[in-house]
Amino acid sequence: MTLKINGLHLSFMSEILHKVPVHLDKYPYLHPTPDDRFTPKQWQELCDELEYQSIFRLPLSLIGRTSFETLCRVYSGSRVMLNEHIEDLFQRSPPHRLLSKIKNSIWRSSLIHAGWNEIVEAWQGLHRFEMGNLGLEVEVDHTTGFNTHGYAEYSYNTYLDGSMAFLIIYRGAHVLTIGFTFASCKRLLIQQIQFTQRTGNRWLFKLPIHYASFVISKLRSAFPNHRLYIVSGVDLAERSIQNYKSTIARIEAKRSQSGKPISTYDYERILKAQSSLDHILRDKERIISVYKSIPNYSNKQLSCHGMRHFLLTPSADT
């Protein structure tokens, strides 16, 4: 029997990360912690001894023998490519990849390199997020590669409107996707609160308030130092429509160029994209209203990835 994976269980985030003094926020590898095998001075001495130009050129065989946090602090403070084995580790190991996605999310949305303390706050928030004692489990996922939106890395055939997501699981089934993006200056852009099934969501009776407001309240609890923004429903719907049209056109163009019959895989992709496109076109006004009806939807805007996002005031979840 094949084990179906929805997303990453929070146990993948069991490592505890700590903040550093503010003046070392951009240079966190200079701040020693109890788990370090070497002090910053010893790191430099090791670089000199081995004739490496900096700590960022040390091989994984050396720096990887320290703690998870040490390696992450070195990775976050780098503005250049690290040793190839370290770069590979941050692409194939789930917890390392998750931290890499946080860093990349902030960069891609703001073109600003994230400080270590901001990465730590995002990491801690991911770990804190929960849906209460309602029988709803939480898993984490993110897009493949460095995509700002697109298909999820672990949850099969799940499309994310943000670079990261919480997957809400009820009785073993993925029922709700909460897609979001981290932006600089501790901003969290909420870009998706979407059911996986259009009908049969009977688990909603467990929630004390409207599901969108409930999700926002839980995000605010998990990320108390972040400012929350909600995407414009108009912009989100329009981008989704164009994405699905582009997917269909791209597959059909590939088939036309090859001159071969369409594969079963591509045929299924077209059917799914067309079904999703039809759904959005049919329910566009309802989708727009879900995001616009959230309380305390302010006029303060932030544009990111071609979509407007509106600041939610602190009482937006009440």
Side-chain angles (χ1 to χ4, degrees), residues 261-274:
I262 189 168
S263 66
T264 301
Y265 173 71
D266 282 343
Y267 180 69
E268 291 177 349
R269 288 180 65 199
I270 285 181
L271 287 181
K272 182 174 177 58
Q274 188 63 56

Side-chain angles (χ1 to χ4, degrees), residues 148-178:
T148 57
H149 55 92
Y151 282 101
E153 178 71 28
Y154 302 103
S155 179
Y156 176 72
N157 231 6
T158 296
Y159 193 91
L160 307 182
D161 287 314
S163 60
M164 309 193 73
F166 289 119
L167 309 181
I168 308 306
I169 313 300
Y170 180 61
R171 294 182 177 177
H174 173 200
V175 296
L176 183 70
T177 303
I178 305 169

Side-chain angles (χ1 to χ4, degrees), residues 10 128-139 166-169 175-178 193 195 203-204 206-208 210-212 214-219 222:
L10 292 183
R128 276 193 299 259
F129 186 80
E130 48 80 29
M131 291 287 280
N133 188 25
L134 302 173
L136 300 171
E137 299 177 19
V138 178
E139 294 180 355
F166 289 119
L167 309 181
I168 308 306
I169 313 300
V175 296
L176 183 70
T177 303
I178 305 169
I193 306 176
F195 298 123
W203 57 272
L204 285 171
K206 292 174 171 288
L207 306 185
H210 185 270
Y211 72 92
F214 184 76
V215 165
I216 290 171
S217 71
K218 291 301 182 180
L219 287 170

Side-chain angles (χ1 to χ4, degrees), residues 10-271:
L10 292 183
S11 60
F12 280 94
M13 301 181 60
S14 59
E15 297 283 356
I16 304 299
L17 302 181
H18 304 87
K19 293 183 179 181
V20 300
V22 174
H23 69 284
L24 292 178
D25 191 35
K26 299 294 184 180
Y27 315 96
Y29 50 90
L30 296 178
H31 181 68
T33 58
D35 290 334
D36 288 354
R37 292 182 63 232
F38 304 105
T39 65
K41 181 179 179 181
Q42 289 172 320
W43 276 123
Q44 191 55 55
E45 291 174 349
L46 187 60
C47 290
D48 296 338
E49 179 184 344
L50 299 176
E51 298 183 350
Y52 285 95
Q53 293 180 347
S54 72
I55 187 175
F56 304 118
R57 297 305 185 190
L58 288 175
L60 180 61
S61 58
L62 282 176
I63 198 170
R65 284 185 286 170
T66 59
S67 66
F68 172 82
E69 182 175 26
T70 300
L71 188 53
C72 288
R73 284 193 280 116
V74 171
Y75 181 82
S76 74
S78 172
R79 300 295 178 264
V80 297
M81 291 288 288
L82 298 172
N83 172 275
E84 62 178 334
H85 296 109
I86 294 179
E87 293 287 350
D88 179 62
L89 178 67
F90 276 90
Q91 293 307 310
R92 60 177 171 79
S93 165
H96 293 83
R97 182 99 187 268
L98 197 58
L99 185 130
S100 173
K101 290 295 291 191
I102 293 173
K103 176 183 176 181
N104 184 256
S105 175
I106 295 173
W107 166 251
R108 295 294 297 273
S109 63
S110 316
L111 297 182
I112 294 175
H113 290 292
W116 172 251
N117 291 338
E118 190 168 359
I119 292 175
V120 170
E121 289 223 19
W123 178 273
Q124 292 173 343
L126 292 177
H127 192 272
R128 276 193 299 259
F129 186 80
E130 48 80 29
M131 291 287 280
N133 188 25
L134 302 173
L136 300 171
E137 299 177 19
V138 178
E139 294 180 355
V140 179
D141 212 332
H142 52 72
T143 56
T144 57
F146 297 108
N147 294 321
T148 57
H149 55 92
Y151 282 101
E153 178 71 28
Y154 302 103
S155 179
Y156 176 72
N157 231 6
T158 296
Y159 193 91
L160 307 182
D161 287 314
S163 60
M164 309 193 73
F166 289 119
L167 309 181
I168 308 306
I169 313 300
Y170 180 61
R171 294 182 177 177
H174 173 200
V175 296
L176 183 70
T177 303
I178 305 169
F180 56 91
T181 292
F182 290 111
S184 64
C185 302
K186 291 185 284 190
R187 292 174 290 186
L188 183 72
L189 314 183
I190 307 165
Q191 296 166 317
Q192 182 180 20
I193 306 176
Q194 181 181 18
F195 298 123
T196 59
Q197 300 293 331
R198 295 166 196 166
T199 60
N201 295 300
R202 299 185 64 182
W203 57 272
L204 285 171
F205 79 90
K206 292 174 171 288
L207 306 185
I209 55 178
H210 185 270
Y211 72 92
S213 294
F214 184 76
V215 165
I216 290 171
S217 71
K218 291 301 182 180
L219 287 170
R220 197 176 298 285
S221 295
F223 300 93
N225 296 320
H226 280 71
R227 284 175 291 168
L228 305 187
Y229 288 75
I230 191 74
V231 70
S232 159
V234 175
D235 294 355
L236 177 61
E238 188 56 37
R239 188 182 75 173
S240 297
I241 290 170
Q242 295 307 316
N243 284 342
Y244 288 124
K245 286 183 176 179
S246 296
T247 296
I248 295 170
R250 187 167 57 250
I251 296 172
E252 291 180 338
K254 183 179 73 171
R255 178 177 63 86
S256 177
Q257 291 172 2
S258 68
K260 298 178 180 179
I262 189 168
S263 66
T264 301
Y265 173 71
D266 282 343
Y267 180 69
E268 291 177 349
R269 288 180 65 199
I270 285 181
L271 287 181

